[in-house]
């Protein structure tokens, strides 16, 4: 088996937004755990900021969520790919209890989400901005 694809019904109507946001957080945690598993067995994996990987948003739908080896192979990732890699390395290598954070904005009737991370002291870190994302992103947090 080369790849796994989930088909998950999210954001079908306005009443489903809270459940859908909770599902996104759970999916981020799943990707973080997958990345930790990869780091446990691949000790020579470069740290995200030293890897040469850049931020890139692929506007094609659907949006594939990439684990560390897929991101390294492509040389780029978007917000959830980079945030989950960074959280995994902070948790695995440095034992820092970093957590995923989603922010959102409403744009033309749809919600646009952005993944970053929250550090234990409450500060946020945005790997996408650190690796080349420009422009203003969202302000409203989803925990």
């Amino acid at each position: 088996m080369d790849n796994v694809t989930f088909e998950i019904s999210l954001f079908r109507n306005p009443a489903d937004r809270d459940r859908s946001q909770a599902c996104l957080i759970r999916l981020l945690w799943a990707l973080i755990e997958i990345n930790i598993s990869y780091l446990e067995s691949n000790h020579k994996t470069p740290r995200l900021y030293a890897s040469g990987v850049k931020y890139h948003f692929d506007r094609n739908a659907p949006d594939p969520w990439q684990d560390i080896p897929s991101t390294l192979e492509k040389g780029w990732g978007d917000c959830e790919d980079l945030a989950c890699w960074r959280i995994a390395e902070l948790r695995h290598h440095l034992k820092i209890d970093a957590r995923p954070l989603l922010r959102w904005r409403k744009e033309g009737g749809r919600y646009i989400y952005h993944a970053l991370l929250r550090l234990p002291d409450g500060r946020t870190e945005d790997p996408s901005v650190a690796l080349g994302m420009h422009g203003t992103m969202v302000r409203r947090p989803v925990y």
Side-chain angles (χ1 to χ4, degrees):
M1 178 178 352
D2 292 335
N3 292 302
V4 174
T5 302
F6 289 88
E7 283 193 38
I8 303 168
S9 295
L10 300 175
F11 303 100
R12 295 293 183 172
N13 58 61
D16 193 35
R17 192 161 64 89
D18 288 341
R19 182 195 70 84
S20 296
Q21 289 176 166
C23 288
L24 285 178
I25 292 288
R26 288 182 171 107
L27 289 168
L28 291 171
W29 276 115
L31 185 54
I32 291 161
E33 290 298 326
I34 289 165
N35 285 338
I36 288 172
S37 175
Y38 181 80
L39 292 173
E40 288 170 348
S41 59
N42 292 275
H43 303 289
K44 294 184 179 181
T45 303
R47 300 290 173 95
L48 174 61
Y49 295 141
S51 69
V53 165
K54 300 291 182 201
Y55 170 82
H56 172 73
F57 177 68
D58 186 357
R59 296 194 184 280
N60 297 325
D63 175 22
W65 287 24
Q66 302 167 186
D67 61 2
I68 292 171
S70 299
T71 302
L72 280 168
E73 184 177 299
K74 290 181 177 182
W76 59 266
D78 65 11
C79 64
E80 76 280 344
D81 311 321
L82 303 176
C84 290
W85 179 347
R86 180 66 174 149
I87 293 166
E89 74 183 19
L90 288 171
R91 293 177 78 85
H92 176 70
H93 294 301
L94 301 173
K95 308 303 182 217
I96 295 174
D97 188 25
R99 299 176 170 277
L101 173 66
L102 284 175
R103 290 190 172 162
W104 62 272
R105 74 173 185 259
K106 194 168 183 180
E107 186 176 281
R110 53 182 283 232
Y111 292 91
I112 307 297
Y113 287 84
H114 180 62
L116 57 158
L117 60 111
R118 181 177 304 281
L119 298 167
D121 63 6
R123 289 179 300 136
T124 59
E125 181 180 326
D126 191 337
S128 297
V129 170
L131 295 171
M133 184 179 88
H134 301 290
T136 338
M137 201 42 212
V138 289
R139 298 282 179 220
R140 298 174 188 94
V142 176
Y143 298 97

